Amino acid sequence: MENIKTLIAACELEYDEIQESIPAEDETIKLLATYFSQPLPEELITFYKTVGGIVSDEIFRIFSPENFLNQIQEREELEHNSTGIIDMIIAFWGNDRPEFQEYKLFTKEETEKINKAFSCIGWIVAEEDNYESGEYVIFDQNGNFMNLYSHQDNLVKTKNQLLKLLETGIPERSLENVLEELFERAEGNLSRWE
């Protein structure tokens, strides 16, 4: 995770924008883990203990355990309040994504199965899409990570990709590799404002 800390420091220094959160304590991580349908991968636990999270109001949000717990508690009265990918896409859109909430794209059973199979720990907003899309960092029970792109005008593509992932699983990839790729994209967005 040292490379991620270096990337955060470089972006923070140059743009005063992307920042890391305070590294999390074991007890906070254990509490957060109770909200996931599968065990937290060791690499994610290391990330939480060394980096904490990655925060930028406009672009990047990989929740620290403390912020994640706050976000979960804010949604606890809602029907779609899990850390599963579909529920987190709904949260990304201010808890207003009727295509998912009203089971227009997935059945209730498919929604539950996908949410259970793929947990989401945060997202990056795509400025080049006029803030109409997000890339979601997800992981599976094998501890593999990926970034899932979803545009609000093509949620059928998101549906098809998630159904395919249910069959194939997430390809083997590390959290660090996924974050490095997303950092390159986020830094490109920040560079446009220079």
Side-chain angles (χ1 to χ4, degrees), residues 151-192:
H151 195 289
Q152 70 171 352
D153 294 337
N154 195 358
L155 292 175
V156 170
K157 183 176 180 182
T158 304
K159 169 191 172 181
N160 293 336
Q161 190 173 4
L162 286 169
L163 289 173
K164 178 111 174 120
L165 284 173
L166 269 182
E167 296 175 15
T168 64
I170 294 176
E172 190 173 336
R173 193 168 177 209
S174 70
L175 173 61
E176 188 164 11
N177 183 255
V178 169
L179 292 177
E180 285 170 349
E181 180 185 325
L182 294 181
F183 250 104
E184 287 177 20
R185 203 153 309 126
E187 193 170 11
N189 287 346
L190 289 167
S191 298
R192 290 191 179 94

Side-chain angles (χ1 to χ4, degrees), residues 54-110:
I54 304 171
V55 179
S56 165
D57 287 342
E58 297 298 323
I59 294 169
F60 221 137
R61 186 161 295 275
I62 305 299
F63 295 102
S64 68
E66 185 178 337
N67 287 340
F68 213 156
L69 286 167
N70 290 338
Q71 199 253 19
I72 290 167
Q73 288 162 2
E74 286 172 9
R75 295 166 44 223
E76 67 184 350
E77 300 299 321
L78 303 174
E79 178 184 358
H80 296 274
N81 60 10
S82 79
T83 59
I85 180 56
I86 293 175
D87 287 0
M88 291 294 281
I89 291 173
I90 294 168
F92 175 86
W93 290 108
N95 301 305
D96 184 22
R97 201 80 257 179
E99 301 91 337
F100 295 130
Q101 291 162 297
E102 297 170 12
Y103 305 108
K104 295 176 180 177
L105 289 173
F106 297 107
T107 65
K108 187 170 185 176
E109 293 74 22
E110 288 171 331

Side-chain angles (χ1 to χ4, degrees), residues 44-60:
L44 179 58
I45 292 170
T46 299
F47 171 81
Y48 286 148
K49 287 182 175 182
T50 58
V51 178
I54 304 171
V55 179
S56 165
D57 287 342
E58 297 298 323
I59 294 169
F60 221 137

